[in-house]
Amino acid sequence: MECDIITTDYGYVAIAVSEKGVYAVSLPKATPKAALEEIGVEVNPVKSELFCRTAELLKRYYAGEKVDFSSLPLDISWASPFARKVYEKLRKIPYGATVSYGELAGLSGNPKAVRAVGRAMATNKISVIIP
């Protein structure tokens, strides 16, 4: 697992990538330590092409640009099978569009699983990439 800190206009952001894709991204924090604590991965600064591309997109995003994260491969192996379905469906929602937890539950194949969608969103380790 590769992990390092970048500096954005809003603070320090920790990024972790695996061989499969982006594994975790913190929200901006006041200190590098706080960013790392949010994602729970230790620094291992290899700087792969995927890490560099993710870092560049995040810097542009936090600088106020409209950024398309859809080309980034993801490693959501930490998520439950249902949460993976939720994230896959959510990733297809167009930029700027919104969807309720109830609608997302339906899109994920279980319209009554609104609380499970909420839990999936609360435990999302890549909430900037899949908001």
Side-chain angles (χ1 to χ4, degrees):
M1 181 81 59
E2 176 183 357
C3 178
D4 209 352
I5 304 291
I6 62 168
T7 304
T8 72
D9 290 350
Y10 287 88
Y12 297 98
V13 173
I15 303 168
V17 298
S18 73
E19 292 176 0
K20 295 179 183 178
V22 179
Y23 181 82
V25 175
S26 75
L27 295 174
K29 302 294 179 190
T31 66
K33 180 181 178 184
L36 285 170
E37 286 175 352
E38 180 177 317
I39 66 169
V41 179
E42 294 190 23
V43 170
N44 180 20
V46 178
K47 305 287 196 238
S48 66
E49 185 274 330
L50 176 58
F51 180 92
C52 293
R53 188 168 51 141
T54 304
E56 180 59 32
L57 288 173
L58 287 166
K59 286 179 183 183
R60 289 178 35 213
Y61 175 80
Y62 284 116
E65 288 185 42
K66 180 180 175 183
V67 175
D68 181 5
F69 293 109
S70 65
S71 67
L72 293 175
L74 305 179
D75 177 356
I76 54 175
S77 58
W78 43 264
S80 71
F82 180 75
R84 285 187 212 131
K85 278 187 194 176
V86 169
Y87 301 145
E88 289 167 12
K89 298 299 181 183
L90 189 56
R91 199 166 195 206
K92 294 178 183 178
I93 303 297
Y95 189 92
T98 59
V99 62
S100 72
Y101 284 3
E103 292 168 318
L104 195 50
L107 290 171
S108 301
N110 190 344
K112 294 183 180 183
V114 176
R115 291 177 121 181
V117 169
R119 187 171 31 261
M121 300 314 300
T123 58
N124 183 357
K125 294 183 179 195
I126 49 175
S127 62
V128 173
I129 295 170
I130 302 178

